[in-house]
């Protein structure tokens, strides 16, 4: 900045005003001299140094568990919109459902002096979350619960989502229903709650669910699991895909076997995607209010950053799912 000031023949404070867009009363000739000096010297403002001085970086970090999910990308877009309106920048990291990777990203983002974090929490960092809470570091959790409700947590009412699917199948005369999910081994809250909600909804309708028809496997093992139940004499007549990745594997399987939707089987999924409207049979979807959730998470985080007012305990804020009926039931 001193070099720019010398070259432009102005003071450092004048250069600082120009860099921070406070030049409404600055002479046009002065602005042009500073602009030319900045260009010739290749000067780039040091925002890290600026954040040290102001004790605020105007950046937040978002750590998702799987950026391939449509849910994650829509949430990120909504967060970005709120940040842009409030003069904040965004770092996005993908933890791959790995607590060690998540911990590394938290450490890295804090080293970059982010003002707060929005985290899709993994299972395994509870003690670390508690340490951050004790230091009053601003965090908002999305999509998943943690062992202790120490930060604001926003997520779908997952049991209601499963009930909507089962109710719709039963209304259509379908009682032989299978649920397809990715693995429950990591204790991922939405998966566990959706499977539990499926069981409860089936029993409400007086239907004994078949344990073999509850598929909860790693993505690579979903199609082999589907093949096992399809090769048996008693086949499902409806499939509920509990997230977008399991829906993709289910649709691949049905295509491989030349099984027609809805003539041979009915299908309902969770989380929308543009391709689901244009497949041969448009798929009925239970949609999460992703943009509302992302907006609320970002707004809540910025509130925590601005006033550092924390509660001892937070209730989980649940969002109602909505049904997008198409032609697959």
């Amino acid at each position: 900045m001193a070099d720019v000031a010398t070259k432009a023949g102005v003071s450092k404070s004048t250069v600082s005003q120009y860099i921070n867009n406070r030049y409404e009363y600055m002479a046009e000739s002065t602005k042009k001299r500073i602009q030319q000096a900045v260009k010739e010297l290749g000067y780039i403002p040091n925002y890290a140094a600026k954040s040290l001085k102001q004790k605020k970086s105007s950046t937040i970090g978002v750590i998702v568990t799987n950026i391939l999910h449509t849910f994650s990308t829509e949430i990120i877009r909504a967060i970005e919109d709120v940040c842009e309106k409030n003069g904040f920048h965004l770092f996005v990291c993908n933890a791959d459902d790995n607590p060690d990777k998540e911990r590394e990203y938290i450490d890295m983002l804090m080293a970059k002096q982010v003002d707060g974090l929005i985290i899709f929490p993994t299972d395994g960092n509870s003690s670390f979350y508690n340490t951050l809470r004790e230091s009053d570091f601003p965090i908002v959790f999305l999509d998943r619960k943690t062992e202790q409700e120490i930060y604001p947590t926003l997520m779908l009412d997952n049991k209601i989502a499963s009930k909507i699917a089962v109710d719709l199948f039963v209304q259509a005369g379908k009682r032989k229903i299978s649920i397809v999910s990715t693995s429950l081994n990591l204790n991922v809250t939405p998966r566990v709650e959706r499977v539990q909600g499926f069981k409860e909804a089936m029993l409400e309708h007086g239907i004994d669910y078949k344990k073999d028809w509850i598929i909860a496997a790693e993505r690579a093992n979903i199609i082999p699991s589907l093949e096992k139940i399809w090769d048996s004499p008693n086949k499902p007549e409806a499939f509920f895909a509990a997230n977008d990745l399991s829906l993709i594997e289910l649709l691949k399987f049905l295509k491989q076997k030349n099984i027609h939707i809805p003539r041979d089987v009915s299908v309902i999924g969770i989380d929308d995607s543009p391709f689901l409207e244009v497949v041969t049979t448009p798929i009925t979807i239970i949609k999460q209010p992703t943009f509302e959730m992302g907006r609320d998470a970002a707004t809540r985080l910025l509130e925590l950053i601005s006033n550092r007012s924390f509660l001892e305990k937070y209730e989980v804020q649940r969002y109602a799912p909505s049904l997008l009926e198409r032609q697959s039931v």
Side-chain angles (χ1 to χ4, degrees), residues 83-303:
C83 287
E84 183 182 9
K85 290 177 183 176
N86 288 275
F88 273 72
H89 300 286
L90 195 63
F91 289 110
V92 178
C93 302
N94 178 53
D96 282 328
D97 261 323
N98 183 329
D100 294 331
K101 192 173 179 182
E102 179 190 67
R103 173 69 181 265
E104 289 175 3
Y105 277 135
I106 293 174
D107 288 339
M108 180 270 287
L109 290 168
M110 294 187 71
K112 291 184 177 294
Q113 298 186 308
V114 295
D115 296 322
L117 295 170
I118 295 174
I119 303 175
F120 295 53
T122 59
D123 184 39
N125 279 325
S126 293
S127 60
F128 188 40
Y129 301 148
N130 282 323
T131 300
L132 295 171
R133 177 63 185 80
E134 288 168 5
S135 67
D136 285 342
F137 185 77
I139 292 176
V140 171
F141 290 134
L142 258 175
D143 189 46
R144 303 174 178 194
K145 292 193 297 184
T146 51
E147 290 180 15
Q148 294 177 287
E149 295 169 358
I150 54 176
Y151 280 116
T153 303
L154 286 59
M155 59 189 298
L156 186 72
D157 193 327
N158 292 294
K159 288 188 176 182
I160 292 296
S162 294
K163 178 174 170 53
I164 290 172
V166 173
D167 288 352
L168 190 59
F169 282 140
V170 173
Q171 289 171 18
K174 313 290 183 180
R175 298 179 67 85
K176 297 163 65 176
I177 308 168
S178 169
I179 183 171
V180 185
S181 170
T182 38
S183 174
L184 305 183
N185 290 341
L186 296 175
N187 198 33
V188 176
T189 311
R191 301 177 196 174
V192 172
E193 290 184 349
R194 289 169 195 175
V195 170
Q196 184 60 35
F198 170 81
K199 294 177 180 178
E200 293 173 3
M202 293 285 279
L203 293 177
E204 282 181 17
H205 286 285
I207 305 172
D208 290 328
Y209 57 85
K210 292 174 63 67
K211 290 183 179 179
D212 292 346
W213 289 4
I214 297 176
I215 296 174
E218 297 296 335
R219 184 175 181 181
N221 294 325
I222 288 178
I223 288 180
S225 299
L226 287 165
E227 287 176 341
K228 284 182 182 179
I229 65 172
W230 197 255
D231 287 341
S232 65
N234 188 26
K235 296 178 173 58
E237 54 190 4
F239 288 97
F240 172 43
N243 57 41
D244 55 355
L245 296 183
S246 57
L247 177 60
I248 290 170
E249 295 306 306
L250 172 63
L251 295 179
K252 283 162 60 176
F253 167 77
L254 297 178
K255 183 178 180 181
Q256 289 171 11
K257 296 292 185 179
N258 198 27
I259 301 167
H260 187 271
I261 307 170
R263 183 191 64 204
D264 302 322
V265 295
S266 296
V267 173
I268 298 175
I270 287 187
D271 294 329
D272 199 16
S273 176
F275 86 90
L276 296 175
E277 290 186 271
V278 295
V279 292
T280 303
T281 302
I283 305 298
T284 293
I285 287 295
I286 297 165
K287 185 169 175 55
Q288 304 192 59
T290 49
F291 289 97
E292 182 183 355
M293 293 169 72
R295 181 198 66 208
D296 290 353
T299 301
R300 192 68 186 276
L301 182 62
L302 295 185
E303 289 172 354

